[in-house]
Amino acid sequence: GGGGGGGGGGGANGDAPAVSVSVASVSRADTPPSPSPPLLPQPGVRGKQLVAGGSLVAVLALSLCGAGTLLHLSLAAAFLLVGVGCLTVEQAFRAIQHRVLLTIAASFGLGAALDRSGLSAMLGADLIERESGGGATQRRSSQPMEVE
């Protein structure tokens, strides 16, 4: 009976250092790694909102002016947002929706196939004829449409 008590007492003494080591190792493991510092000074929350909104307006304005393609301007804005610290690289990659990219890529192939087969022209002519109440066929035969 005394050996059990001594074993229990020895176990309690043995558990205390193990608990403190476990707590220390758990606290280190739970601490997230510090993100890499941004290239430019970090703005506050309001500054981040202004930078993000300003970059959106700049991308749209520059695209409308023909200063570059929407793809190149958007990539430049994304690099700016990461460089300023508005979002991290991990957040930028998580924001990419792969299903949307796959859908867009597939639509290019489908559109090219519809165009090459002539189906898109046939469907377009049929749609115009239905919307005009059949008058498009008569108008085409009597007088050609002028295209500028």
Side-chain angles (χ1 to χ4, degrees):
N13 290 337
D15 288 343
V19 170
S20 65
V21 170
S22 297
V23 169
S25 64
V26 168
S27 66
R28 274 187 257 134
D30 289 344
T31 306
S34 61
S36 58
L39 301 175
L40 302 172
Q42 280 193 331
V45 173
R46 181 71 175 149
K48 289 180 182 182
Q49 292 171 344
L50 292 173
V51 170
S55 65
L56 174 65
V57 170
V59 165
L60 293 176
L62 290 171
S63 178
L64 287 173
C65 294
T69 65
L70 191 57
L71 172 67
H72 292 122
L73 295 170
S74 298
L75 285 174
F79 282 118
L80 173 74
L81 293 175
V82 170
V84 170
C86 288
L87 68 151
T88 64
V89 175
E90 293 81 17
Q91 290 170 330
F93 277 112
R94 278 196 308 251
I96 297 173
Q97 296 179 359
H98 299 287
R99 286 185 179 189
V100 173
L101 291 178
L102 184 61
T103 302
I104 291 170
S107 70
F108 284 119
L110 182 61
L114 288 172
D115 192 39
R116 285 189 191 132
S117 69
L119 182 61
S120 61
M122 186 177 73
L123 290 173
D126 185 52
L127 182 64
I128 290 171
E129 186 176 334
R130 287 176 190 258
E131 287 298 316
S132 64
T137 309
Q138 294 170 358
R139 186 173 60 237
R140 265 189 275 145
S141 62
S142 63
Q143 50 181 309
M145 294 178 66
E146 294 181 9
V147 178
E148 294 181 24

